[in-house]
Amino acid sequence: MSTTPGTTPDATGEVAAAPKRRTTLVAAIVVAALALAGVVTWLAFGRSQGAATGPRTVAQIQEAGKVRIGVFSDKAPFGSVDSSGAYVGYDIEYAERVAKDLGVTLELVPVEAAARVEYLTSGKVDIILANFTVTEERAEKVDFAKPYLKVSLGVVSPDGAPITDVAQLDGKDVLVVRGTTAETYLEAHHPEVKIQKYEQYTEVTNALLDGRGAAWVTDNTEALAWAKNNDGFSTTIASLGPQDSIAAAVQKGNADLLRWLDDELVTLGKENFFHAAYTKTLEPVYGTDVSADELVVEGGVVR
Amino acid sequence: MPVSGLEVLLEGRNLVRLLEGLGTTVGIALASLAVALVCGVPLGLAMTRRGALVQVLTRGYVETMRIVPQLVLLFVVYFDLAREGIVSLSGTATSVLVLGLWGAAEMGDLVRGAVTSIPEHQVDSARALGLAPGQVQRLVVLPQTVRRLAPLTVNLTTRLVKTTSLVVLIGVVEVLKVAQQIIDANRFEHPEAAFWVYGLVLGLYFVVCYPVSVLARRLETRWESR
């Protein structure tokens, strides 16, 4: 045996130049091993989510008995998980209602902001309800339903010197976080204000607490939440600048589900559903500084 | 640091949820490690061959898996395969498959390095002493290779554990995601909770990775003294 190393399967390549036949065999074994491992993994952990990658119609969802909705699990008060492990928030209220009115069970899928479009285009979820701002760029890849929430900029100022109109900011120092909508908006539309830019959210709030500016301009939801938790400051302008709509989105071309969602908004509008959802989930965070009408959209119609 | 943030950890099922998340992390890491070992060892042995075809195939595989970021691999398998209608895998399955095949590439290169680091004269001497090629492998090359591999494999294991933090992007809720959920749910009332929650997560990762290191060190010491 020791005189015929070429025929021994476990011989090392150092012993003699390996015949080509055996090289090919080894390559084949490696490829086969990898393929086998892949298949085994798939079988063991697969639990394939049903390769239905095309958009599911309302009838198909109802037949399957379950709707998959992508939500945030760490963006309170829109979608988060409480200490008992249950999903809570404004988007969750809507998701639960959608499942109830479809007459199916609800599967909530936790999504990350950066992957929301992918979840729809790959058919991993039927609907995204994750504080999804309507933009032209996104609308090329997914179909948005009518909005159920609207956001814009807000102004936080000290109670001792409230800023209730943008005109009051003329020549004053205004604090913003670099790279935000607030920065772009003020630079384009209000060149008369002196903008102080900060890198971090915490830096800008500390600057405001220290009195280094007359006001802080940021997303109005952030403004409301921060002012609620900091005595001596209020959101004195709740809606400023460009208004963005937040809406549910479905896979591109899923006209059936889209129509159902828009009709659902009309139905829910009649019972002021989103005002109730606001009171339950957003008001505890945003306080009563502001009327729900500044944020909530009923019936899919922005007023 | 205010201690009130510490209470957040003890509230409701928060602590249990973190441990469940840790279970997911460890489960994915171990399953990936199994795939990496099963595929990586034959891959590494194949890489020590001189054939051109085997070199192109194995090198190509290892370099591809190394160059492409793991996140891209996760997205390709999770989203693109589903979009093309090939297969719609669950987040967990995707994680094990991708991390396993990535680990196999790394493991393969480790095995190749360990095998080729055994001086060729040892093989020649063993053959001259009359050992059969199988015996040379079993009695001379393999024992030394395994010893050299132990610390490298431990390193790969801890890398796999830490890389699992990426799988949250395909919807798998592991320990770090649970931590973020807890921090976010408390960000208005207990903004300082982040310190405690991340501190605990740091501790949990340590608790998982440290025993593996200890085990490897023990093995090395035992082999050395033999």
Side-chain angles (χ1 to χ4, degrees), chain A residues 95-139:
Chain A
E96 284 172 350
R97 183 59 190 262
V98 164
K100 183 173 165 248
D101 290 350
L102 277 170
V104 296
T105 53
L106 173 63
E107 181 186 340
L108 291 171
V109 180
V111 301
E112 297 297 302
R116 284 175 296 184
V117 169
E118 299 282 322
Y119 270 96
L120 284 176
T121 57
S122 62
K124 292 280 182 182
V125 299
D126 300 305
I127 305 169
I128 286 281
L129 269 181
N131 201 17
F132 212 11
T133 307
V134 181
T135 67
E136 279 179 27
E137 197 191 349
R138 286 174 185 159

mmCIF file of all heavy atoms in Angstrom, chain A residues 95-139:
data_model
loop_
_atom_site.group_PDB
_atom_site.id
_atom_site.type_symbol
_atom_site.label_atom_id
_atom_site.label_comp_id
_atom_site.label_asym_id
_atom_site.label_seq_id
_atom_site.Cartn_x
_atom_site.Cartn_y
_atom_site.Cartn_z
ATOM 1 N N ALA A 95 -52.458 48.686 12.476
ATOM 2 C CA ALA A 95 -52.200 47.327 11.966
ATOM 3 C C ALA A 95 -53.202 46.329 12.538
ATOM 4 O O ALA A 95 -53.744 45.485 11.811
ATOM 5 C CB ALA A 95 -50.773 46.904 12.313
ATOM 6 N N GLU A 96 -53.469 46.447 13.849
ATOM 7 C CA GLU A 96 -54.407 45.515 14.482
ATOM 8 C C GLU A 96 -55.803 45.663 13.893
ATOM 9 O O GLU A 96 -56.523 44.690 13.688
ATOM 10 C CB GLU A 96 -54.427 45.746 16.002
ATOM 11 C CG GLU A 96 -53.174 45.165 16.672
ATOM 12 C CD GLU A 96 -53.034 45.520 18.139
ATOM 13 O OE1 GLU A 96 -53.807 46.378 18.622
ATOM 14 O OE2 GLU A 96 -52.143 44.947 18.787
ATOM 15 N N ARG A 97 -56.168 46.938 13.612
ATOM 16 C CA ARG A 97 -57.486 47.189 13.050
ATOM 17 C C ARG A 97 -57.591 46.637 11.620
ATOM 18 O O ARG A 97 -58.624 46.070 11.238
ATOM 19 C CB ARG A 97 -57.780 48.697 13.084
ATOM 20 C CG ARG A 97 -59.149 49.073 12.604
ATOM 21 C CD ARG A 97 -60.230 48.407 13.437
ATOM 22 N NE ARG A 97 -61.523 48.593 12.799
ATOM 23 C CZ ARG A 97 -62.388 49.544 13.145
ATOM 24 N NH1 ARG A 97 -62.124 50.352 14.153
ATOM 25 N NH2 ARG A 97 -63.535 49.660 12.509
ATOM 26 N N VAL A 98 -56.512 46.797 10.861
ATOM 27 C CA VAL A 98 -56.498 46.279 9.486
ATOM 28 C C VAL A 98 -56.721 44.768 9.497
ATOM 29 O O VAL A 98 -57.553 44.238 8.754
ATOM 30 C CB VAL A 98 -55.163 46.633 8.780
ATOM 31 C CG1 VAL A 98 -54.965 45.788 7.527
ATOM 32 C CG2 VAL A 98 -55.127 48.113 8.415
ATOM 33 N N ALA A 99 -56.001 44.066 10.381
ATOM 34 C CA ALA A 99 -56.141 42.610 10.462
ATOM 35 C C ALA A 99 -57.562 42.232 10.873
ATOM 36 O O ALA A 99 -58.161 41.310 10.317
ATOM 37 C CB ALA A 99 -55.139 42.052 11.455
ATOM 38 N N LYS A 100 -58.108 42.985 11.829
ATOM 39 C CA LYS A 100 -59.455 42.686 12.328
ATOM 40 C C LYS A 100 -60.473 42.845 11.205
ATOM 41 O O LYS A 100 -61.339 41.987 11.008
ATOM 42 C CB LYS A 100 -59.785 43.643 13.485
ATOM 43 C CG LYS A 100 -61.127 43.390 14.124
ATOM 44 C CD LYS A 100 -61.322 44.258 15.366
ATOM 45 C CE LYS A 100 -62.771 44.268 15.788
ATOM 46 N NZ LYS A 100 -63.424 45.565 15.602
ATOM 47 N N ASP A 101 -60.353 43.946 10.448
ATOM 48 C CA ASP A 101 -61.336 44.196 9.399
ATOM 49 C C ASP A 101 -61.139 43.297 8.179
ATOM 50 O O ASP A 101 -62.073 43.072 7.414
ATOM 51 C CB ASP A 101 -61.323 45.677 9.001
ATOM 52 C CG ASP A 101 -61.904 46.550 10.111
ATOM 53 O OD1 ASP A 101 -62.480 45.975 11.062
ATOM 54 O OD2 ASP A 101 -61.779 47.782 10.044
ATOM 55 N N LEU A 102 -59.921 42.784 8.001
ATOM 56 C CA LEU A 102 -59.703 41.791 6.942
ATOM 57 C C LEU A 102 -60.252 40.440 7.388
ATOM 58 O O LEU A 102 -60.455 39.544 6.569
ATOM 59 C CB LEU A 102 -58.205 41.646 6.634
ATOM 60 C CG LEU A 102 -57.540 42.650 5.688
ATOM 61 C CD1 LEU A 102 -56.026 42.465 5.730
ATOM 62 C CD2 LEU A 102 -58.038 42.489 4.263
ATOM 63 N N GLY A 103 -60.431 40.297 8.706
ATOM 64 C CA GLY A 103 -60.913 39.032 9.252
ATOM 65 C C GLY A 103 -59.838 37.963 9.295
ATOM 66 O O GLY A 103 -60.112 36.776 9.139
ATOM 67 N N VAL A 104 -58.586 38.395 9.490
ATOM 68 C CA VAL A 104 -57.475 37.436 9.530
ATOM 69 C C VAL A 104 -56.623 37.692 10.772
ATOM 70 O O VAL A 104 -56.796 38.709 11.449
ATOM 71 C CB VAL A 104 -56.573 37.566 8.276
ATOM 72 C CG1 VAL A 104 -57.351 37.216 7.025
ATOM 73 C CG2 VAL A 104 -55.997 38.967 8.172
ATOM 74 N N THR A 105 -55.710 36.750 11.067
ATOM 75 C CA THR A 105 -54.802 36.991 12.178
ATOM 76 C C THR A 105 -53.655 37.886 11.691
ATOM 77 O O THR A 105 -53.373 37.970 10.502
ATOM 78 C CB THR A 105 -54.217 35.681 12.739
ATOM 79 O OG1 THR A 105 -53.643 34.956 11.669
ATOM 80 C CG2 THR A 105 -55.281 34.855 13.424
ATOM 81 N N LEU A 106 -53.009 38.521 12.674
ATOM 82 C CA LEU A 106 -51.981 39.507 12.353
ATOM 83 C C LEU A 106 -50.602 38.953 12.665
ATOM 84 O O LEU A 106 -50.356 38.452 13.759
ATOM 85 C CB LEU A 106 -52.238 40.774 13.183
ATOM 86 C CG LEU A 106 -51.197 41.886 13.123
ATOM 87 C CD1 LEU A 106 -51.083 42.449 11.726
ATOM 88 C CD2 LEU A 106 -51.578 42.999 14.095
ATOM 89 N N GLU A 107 -49.697 39.019 11.674
ATOM 90 C CA GLU A 107 -48.301 38.691 11.947
ATOM 91 C C GLU A 107 -47.494 39.973 11.800
ATOM 92 O O GLU A 107 -47.369 40.512 10.707
ATOM 93 C CB GLU A 107 -47.777 37.629 10.971
ATOM 94 C CG GLU A 107 -46.324 37.266 11.258
ATOM 95 C CD GLU A 107 -45.719 36.322 10.218
ATOM 96 O OE1 GLU A 107 -46.473 35.655 9.501
ATOM 97 O OE2 GLU A 107 -44.482 36.283 10.144
ATOM 98 N N LEU A 108 -46.967 40.457 12.927
ATOM 99 C CA LEU A 108 -46.164 41.674 12.870
ATOM 100 C C LEU A 108 -44.704 41.297 12.619
ATOM 101 O O LEU A 108 -44.147 40.442 13.299
ATOM 102 C CB LEU A 108 -46.289 42.454 14.186
ATOM 103 C CG LEU A 108 -47.663 43.076 14.430
ATOM 104 C CD1 LEU A 108 -47.750 43.638 15.835
ATOM 105 C CD2 LEU A 108 -47.966 44.164 13.414
ATOM 106 N N VAL A 109 -44.112 41.917 11.612
ATOM 107 C CA VAL A 109 -42.725 41.634 11.261
ATOM 108 C C VAL A 109 -41.890 42.859 11.617
ATOM 109 O O VAL A 109 -42.152 43.950 11.115
ATOM 110 C CB VAL A 109 -42.598 41.344 9.748
ATOM 111 C CG1 VAL A 109 -41.151 41.044 9.377
ATOM 112 C CG2 VAL A 109 -43.524 40.210 9.336
ATOM 113 N N PRO A 110 -40.901 42.700 12.526
ATOM 114 C CA PRO A 110 -40.087 43.872 12.876
ATOM 115 C C PRO A 110 -39.174 44.264 11.716
ATOM 116 O O PRO A 110 -38.467 43.411 11.182
ATOM 117 C CB PRO A 110 -39.272 43.387 14.078
ATOM 118 C CG PRO A 110 -39.212 41.908 13.924
ATOM 119 C CD PRO A 110 -40.475 41.495 13.224
ATOM 120 N N VAL A 111 -39.223 45.519 11.294
ATOM 121 C CA VAL A 111 -38.383 45.948 10.175
ATOM 122 C C VAL A 111 -37.456 47.086 10.606
ATOM 123 O O VAL A 111 -37.717 47.780 11.586
ATOM 124 C CB VAL A 111 -39.227 46.412 8.967
ATOM 125 C CG1 VAL A 111 -40.128 45.295 8.476
ATOM 126 C CG2 VAL A 111 -40.051 47.643 9.299
ATOM 127 N N GLU A 112 -36.364 47.226 9.852
ATOM 128 C CA GLU A 112 -35.451 48.355 10.058
ATOM 129 C C GLU A 112 -35.779 49.400 9.008
ATOM 130 O O GLU A 112 -36.196 49.067 7.893
ATOM 131 C CB GLU A 112 -34.009 47.897 9.891
ATOM 132 C CG GLU A 112 -33.553 46.868 10.906
ATOM 133 C CD GLU A 112 -33.583 47.392 12.320
ATOM 134 O OE1 GLU A 112 -32.919 48.403 12.606
ATOM 135 O OE2 GLU A 112 -34.290 46.801 13.149
ATOM 136 N N ALA A 113 -35.543 50.658 9.337
ATOM 137 C CA ALA A 113 -35.889 51.754 8.433
ATOM 138 C C ALA A 113 -35.302 51.541 7.041
ATOM 139 O O ALA A 113 -35.975 51.703 6.026
ATOM 140 C CB ALA A 113 -35.414 53.077 9.017
ATOM 141 N N ALA A 114 -34.018 51.142 6.992
ATOM 142 C CA ALA A 114 -33.322 51.049 5.708
ATOM 143 C C ALA A 114 -33.846 49.931 4.816
ATOM 144 O O ALA A 114 -33.622 49.943 3.612
ATOM 145 C CB ALA A 114 -31.830 50.852 5.955
ATOM 146 N N ALA A 115 -34.557 48.947 5.393
ATOM 147 C CA ALA A 115 -34.968 47.786 4.600
ATOM 148 C C ALA A 115 -36.468 47.778 4.291
ATOM 149 O O ALA A 115 -36.978 46.799 3.757
ATOM 150 C CB ALA A 115 -34.574 46.505 5.335
ATOM 151 N N ARG A 116 -37.175 48.881 4.614
ATOM 152 C CA ARG A 116 -38.635 48.861 4.470
ATOM 153 C C ARG A 116 -39.082 48.615 3.030
ATOM 154 O O ARG A 116 -40.028 47.861 2.791
ATOM 155 C CB ARG A 116 -39.237 50.177 4.993
ATOM 156 C CG ARG A 116 -39.275 50.235 6.505
ATOM 157 C CD ARG A 116 -39.759 51.569 6.997
ATOM 158 N NE ARG A 116 -38.838 52.647 6.616
ATOM 159 C CZ ARG A 116 -38.994 53.912 6.995
ATOM 160 N NH1 ARG A 116 -40.011 54.260 7.736
ATOM 161 N NH2 ARG A 116 -38.117 54.831 6.631
ATOM 162 N N VAL A 117 -38.401 49.243 2.068
ATOM 163 C CA VAL A 117 -38.774 49.053 0.662
ATOM 164 C C VAL A 117 -38.522 47.603 0.237
ATOM 165 O O VAL A 117 -39.348 46.981 -0.428
ATOM 166 C CB VAL A 117 -37.993 50.040 -0.239
ATOM 167 C CG1 VAL A 117 -38.163 49.673 -1.700
ATOM 168 C CG2 VAL A 117 -38.468 51.468 -0.002
ATOM 169 N N GLU A 118 -37.375 47.046 0.671
ATOM 170 C CA GLU A 118 -37.008 45.674 0.311
ATOM 171 C C GLU A 118 -38.049 44.659 0.781
ATOM 172 O O GLU A 118 -38.336 43.695 0.084
ATOM 173 C CB GLU A 118 -35.657 45.307 0.938
ATOM 174 C CG GLU A 118 -34.499 46.164 0.483
ATOM 175 C CD GLU A 118 -34.004 45.769 -0.889
ATOM 176 O OE1 GLU A 118 -33.977 44.567 -1.181
ATOM 177 O OE2 GLU A 118 -33.670 46.672 -1.678
ATOM 178 N N TYR A 119 -38.569 44.866 1.977
ATOM 179 C CA TYR A 119 -39.560 43.930 2.512
ATOM 180 C C TYR A 119 -40.773 43.837 1.595
ATOM 181 O O TYR A 119 -41.367 42.775 1.431
ATOM 182 C CB TYR A 119 -40.011 44.362 3.919
ATOM 183 C CG TYR A 119 -39.156 43.771 5.010
ATOM 184 C CD1 TYR A 119 -38.098 44.470 5.555
ATOM 185 C CD2 TYR A 119 -39.415 42.488 5.481
ATOM 186 C CE1 TYR A 119 -37.304 43.926 6.540
ATOM 187 C CE2 TYR A 119 -38.633 41.927 6.474
ATOM 188 C CZ TYR A 119 -37.577 42.655 7.001
ATOM 189 O OH TYR A 119 -36.804 42.081 7.973
ATOM 190 N N LEU A 120 -41.135 44.967 0.972
ATOM 191 C CA LEU A 120 -42.286 44.969 0.068
ATOM 192 C C LEU A 120 -41.922 44.388 -1.292
ATOM 193 O O LEU A 120 -42.633 43.527 -1.811
ATOM 194 C CB LEU A 120 -42.814 46.394 -0.107
ATOM 195 C CG LEU A 120 -43.633 46.955 1.060
ATOM 196 C CD1 LEU A 120 -44.009 48.388 0.784
ATOM 197 C CD2 LEU A 120 -44.881 46.122 1.309
ATOM 198 N N THR A 121 -40.810 44.840 -1.870
ATOM 199 C CA THR A 121 -40.474 44.395 -3.219
ATOM 200 C C THR A 121 -40.199 42.891 -3.258
ATOM 201 O O THR A 121 -40.413 42.257 -4.284
ATOM 202 C CB THR A 121 -39.251 45.145 -3.782
ATOM 203 O OG1 THR A 121 -38.166 44.965 -2.886
ATOM 204 C CG2 THR A 121 -39.536 46.622 -3.951
ATOM 205 N N SER A 122 -39.750 42.310 -2.147
ATOM 206 C CA SER A 122 -39.475 40.879 -2.128
ATOM 207 C C SER A 122 -40.681 40.066 -1.650
ATOM 208 O O SER A 122 -40.604 38.848 -1.571
ATOM 209 C CB SER A 122 -38.272 40.587 -1.230
ATOM 210 O OG SER A 122 -38.552 40.970 0.086
ATOM 211 N N GLY A 123 -41.774 40.768 -1.319
ATOM 212 C CA GLY A 123 -42.977 40.055 -0.903
ATOM 213 C C GLY A 123 -42.873 39.410 0.465
ATOM 214 O O GLY A 123 -43.598 38.477 0.776
ATOM 215 N N LYS A 124 -41.953 39.879 1.312
ATOM 216 C CA LYS A 124 -41.829 39.305 2.657
ATOM 217 C C LYS A 124 -42.969 39.777 3.562
ATOM 218 O O LYS A 124 -43.273 39.136 4.559
ATOM 219 C CB LYS A 124 -40.483 39.717 3.279
ATOM 220 C CG LYS A 124 -39.284 39.102 2.600
ATOM 221 C CD LYS A 124 -39.045 37.681 3.044
ATOM 222 C CE LYS A 124 -37.810 37.103 2.376
ATOM 223 N NZ LYS A 124 -37.592 35.703 2.750
ATOM 224 N N VAL A 125 -43.525 40.932 3.266
ATOM 225 C CA VAL A 125 -44.697 41.411 4.013
ATOM 226 C C VAL A 125 -45.730 41.899 2.998
ATOM 227 O O VAL A 125 -45.408 42.170 1.845
ATOM 228 C CB VAL A 125 -44.354 42.565 4.997
ATOM 229 C CG1 VAL A 125 -43.349 42.123 6.041
ATOM 230 C CG2 VAL A 125 -43.846 43.784 4.256
ATOM 231 N N ASP A 126 -46.999 41.991 3.452
ATOM 232 C CA ASP A 126 -48.050 42.498 2.572
ATOM 233 C C ASP A 126 -48.120 44.015 2.649
ATOM 234 O O ASP A 126 -48.375 44.685 1.653
ATOM 235 C CB ASP A 126 -49.407 41.906 2.986
ATOM 236 C CG ASP A 126 -49.412 40.385 2.895
ATOM 237 O OD1 ASP A 126 -49.106 39.878 1.805
ATOM 238 O OD2 ASP A 126 -49.687 39.723 3.912
ATOM 239 N N ILE A 127 -47.947 44.533 3.869
ATOM 240 C CA ILE A 127 -48.108 45.969 4.098
ATOM 241 C C ILE A 127 -46.965 46.456 4.986
ATOM 242 O O ILE A 127 -46.534 45.744 5.889
ATOM 243 C CB ILE A 127 -49.451 46.269 4.818
ATOM 244 C CG1 ILE A 127 -50.634 45.673 4.049
ATOM 245 C CG2 ILE A 127 -49.649 47.767 5.019
ATOM 246 C CD1 ILE A 127 -51.944 45.692 4.822
ATOM 247 N N ILE A 128 -46.475 47.658 4.714
ATOM 248 C CA ILE A 128 -45.543 48.297 5.650
ATOM 249 C C ILE A 128 -46.306 49.403 6.372
ATOM 250 O O ILE A 128 -46.939 50.253 5.743
ATOM 251 C CB ILE A 128 -44.320 48.897 4.912
ATOM 252 C CG1 ILE A 128 -43.357 47.804 4.443
ATOM 253 C CG2 ILE A 128 -43.580 49.898 5.810
ATOM 254 C CD1 ILE A 128 -42.433 47.243 5.516
ATOM 255 N N LEU A 129 -46.259 49.344 7.700
ATOM 256 C CA LEU A 129 -46.890 50.376 8.527
ATOM 257 C C LEU A 129 -45.846 50.826 9.535
ATOM 258 O O LEU A 129 -45.974 50.591 10.718
ATOM 259 C CB LEU A 129 -48.093 49.794 9.274
ATOM 260 C CG LEU A 129 -49.460 49.873 8.597
ATOM 261 C CD1 LEU A 129 -50.518 49.267 9.504
ATOM 262 C CD2 LEU A 129 -49.806 51.307 8.277
ATOM 263 N N ALA A 130 -44.778 51.432 9.032
ATOM 264 C CA ALA A 130 -43.657 51.761 9.913
ATOM 265 C C ALA A 130 -43.259 53.224 9.738
ATOM 266 O O ALA A 130 -42.169 53.533 9.247
ATOM 267 C CB ALA A 130 -42.482 50.835 9.633
ATOM 268 N N ASN A 131 -44.186 54.118 10.136
ATOM 269 C CA ASN A 131 -43.902 55.556 10.079
ATOM 270 C C ASN A 131 -43.260 55.907 8.734
ATOM 271 O O ASN A 131 -42.265 56.612 8.674
ATOM 272 C CB ASN A 131 -42.976 55.940 11.243
ATOM 273 C CG ASN A 131 -43.041 57.419 11.553
ATOM 274 O OD1 ASN A 131 -43.978 58.115 11.136
ATOM 275 N ND2 ASN A 131 -42.052 57.930 12.252
ATOM 276 N N PHE A 132 -43.846 55.397 7.658
ATOM 277 C CA PHE A 132 -43.257 55.456 6.315
ATOM 278 C C PHE A 132 -43.636 56.780 5.644
ATOM 279 O O PHE A 132 -44.790 56.994 5.269
ATOM 280 C CB PHE A 132 -43.792 54.274 5.513
ATOM 281 C CG PHE A 132 -42.848 53.714 4.495
ATOM 282 C CD1 PHE A 132 -41.519 54.088 4.449
ATOM 283 C CD2 PHE A 132 -43.300 52.772 3.582
ATOM 284 C CE1 PHE A 132 -40.660 53.545 3.517
ATOM 285 C CE2 PHE A 132 -42.449 52.223 2.645
ATOM 286 C CZ PHE A 132 -41.122 52.606 2.611
ATOM 287 N N THR A 133 -42.665 57.680 5.517
ATOM 288 C CA THR A 133 -42.918 58.979 4.892
ATOM 289 C C THR A 133 -43.022 58.817 3.372
ATOM 290 O O THR A 133 -42.189 58.169 2.762
ATOM 291 C CB THR A 133 -41.771 59.951 5.221
ATOM 292 O OG1 THR A 133 -41.601 59.972 6.632
ATOM 293 C CG2 THR A 133 -42.093 61.352 4.736
ATOM 294 N N VAL A 134 -44.045 59.412 2.800
ATOM 295 C CA VAL A 134 -44.235 59.331 1.356
ATOM 296 C C VAL A 134 -43.206 60.215 0.661
ATOM 297 O O VAL A 134 -43.143 61.420 0.922
ATOM 298 C CB VAL A 134 -45.664 59.795 0.973
ATOM 299 C CG1 VAL A 134 -45.882 59.682 -0.534
ATOM 300 C CG2 VAL A 134 -46.711 58.991 1.729
ATOM 301 N N THR A 135 -42.376 59.626 -0.204
ATOM 302 C CA THR A 135 -41.441 60.417 -1.010
ATOM 303 C C THR A 135 -41.551 59.946 -2.456
ATOM 304 O O THR A 135 -41.981 58.819 -2.711
ATOM 305 C CB THR A 135 -39.978 60.240 -0.552
ATOM 306 O OG1 THR A 135 -39.587 58.892 -0.823
ATOM 307 C CG2 THR A 135 -39.795 60.544 0.912
ATOM 308 N N GLU A 136 -41.156 60.808 -3.382
ATOM 309 C CA GLU A 136 -41.247 60.435 -4.799
ATOM 310 C C GLU A 136 -40.357 59.245 -5.105
ATOM 311 O O GLU A 136 -40.711 58.357 -5.860
ATOM 312 C CB GLU A 136 -40.832 61.624 -5.679
ATOM 313 C CG GLU A 136 -41.938 62.632 -5.875
ATOM 314 C CD GLU A 136 -41.497 63.807 -6.738
ATOM 315 O OE1 GLU A 136 -40.590 63.615 -7.566
ATOM 316 O OE2 GLU A 136 -42.053 64.894 -6.553
ATOM 317 N N GLU A 137 -39.157 59.269 -4.499
ATOM 318 C CA GLU A 137 -38.199 58.197 -4.737
ATOM 319 C C GLU A 137 -38.780 56.842 -4.321
ATOM 320 O O GLU A 137 -38.686 55.856 -5.055
ATOM 321 C CB GLU A 137 -36.925 58.499 -3.950
ATOM 322 C CG GLU A 137 -35.729 57.709 -4.405
ATOM 323 C CD GLU A 137 -34.568 57.850 -3.430
ATOM 324 O OE1 GLU A 137 -34.641 58.728 -2.534
ATOM 325 O OE2 GLU A 137 -33.616 57.081 -3.562
ATOM 326 N N ARG A 138 -39.394 56.801 -3.144
ATOM 327 C CA ARG A 138 -39.973 55.544 -2.671
ATOM 328 C C ARG A 138 -41.180 55.142 -3.510
ATOM 329 O O ARG A 138 -41.426 53.961 -3.736
ATOM 330 C CB ARG A 138 -40.400 55.677 -1.210
ATOM 331 C CG ARG A 138 -39.235 55.689 -0.259
ATOM 332 C CD ARG A 138 -39.706 55.980 1.147
ATOM 333 N NE ARG A 138 -38.581 56.107 2.055
ATOM 334 C CZ ARG A 138 -38.649 56.740 3.213
ATOM 335 N NH1 ARG A 138 -39.788 57.293 3.602
ATOM 336 N NH2 ARG A 138 -37.594 56.810 3.978
ATOM 337 N N ALA A 139 -41.945 56.143 -3.958
ATOM 338 C CA ALA A 139 -43.166 55.850 -4.711
ATOM 339 C C ALA A 139 -42.856 55.195 -6.058
ATOM 340 O O ALA A 139 -43.735 54.624 -6.689
ATOM 341 C CB ALA A 139 -43.972 57.126 -4.921
#
